[in-house]
Amino acid sequence: IDQTVDMDSATNEGKWGGGYLTAKIEGGMHYQGRRWGGSNTYNARETFKSYGAKFGYMDDKAREGLLPRVPQSHRDFLRSLEWVHDCKVAFKPYRLLAVHAGLNNEGKLEPQLKALKKRDIFADALLSQKGRFYAFSERDKVSGMHPELKDKAYLVSGHHGYREVT
């Protein structure tokens, strides 16, 4: 990540006045992280609870209580995760991709995959709006198979709300 970028202004459109952490954080904090840690929307409460930290809706001090409880090995693990896993499999169509929420069905496939593999938080191909990622937080435009992957791969993702897979 480019350390010269102010994460707060670079990732927040500025039109949202609530539902996220507002504390001043050295180096800034990505808007998506501020939303996760400051609202009830993303079930952050369960993560805080699993580390024995108190969660409070839009409570800037809650972050301070969580950080020292997260072991370095957990931080390292989370930092090491791929944003997209693309692999060959032994069954037709011989390719599987896994992306948290999915891929933008209206965008070109290769720019999305390239940006996900590079973990490029500023890539236009990944952003549904400033500071929001299709691959991590979108629902509507990631539903179903990306048209360029149809009959060429399996796509595993979780923001579809389907109870059954056909």
Side-chain angles (χ1 to χ4, degrees), residues 48-68:
F48 278 70
K49 183 178 174 183
S50 74
Y51 288 108
K54 183 181 176 199
F55 175 80
Y57 177 72
M58 292 182 51
D59 179 359
D60 291 329
K61 295 202 183 309
R63 178 181 181 272
E64 295 169 22
L66 174 65
L67 288 178

Side-chain angles (χ1 to χ4, degrees), residues 3 6 15 17 46 64 70 72 75 77 79-80 83-84 91 93 95 98 126-127 131 134-135 141-142 150 160 162 165:
Q3 296 299 315
D6 172 30
K15 67 181 181 180
E46 296 304 315
E64 295 169 22
V70 179
Q72 188 62 47
R75 294 173 194 218
F77 170 72
R79 284 186 184 112
S80 75
W83 286 6
V84 60
F91 45 88
R95 183 179 184 192
L126 299 183
L127 300 174
Y134 288 108
K141 292 183 181 177
V142 299
K150 191 165 177 62
H160 306 310
Y162 300 128
V165 177

Side-chain angles (χ1 to χ4, degrees), residues 82-100:
E82 297 175 312
W83 286 6
V84 60
H85 184 72
D86 186 353
C87 65
K88 294 179 183 177
V89 291
F91 45 88
K92 286 186 177 182
Y94 307 111
R95 183 179 184 192
L96 181 139
L97 288 101
V99 182
H100 178 78

Side-chain angles (χ1 to χ4, degrees), residues 119-135:
R119 298 170 59 111
D120 184 353
I121 64 171
F122 298 111
D124 289 338
L126 299 183
L127 300 174
S128 59
Q129 59 181 297
K130 189 176 181 181
R132 300 218 39 200
F133 298 99
Y134 288 108

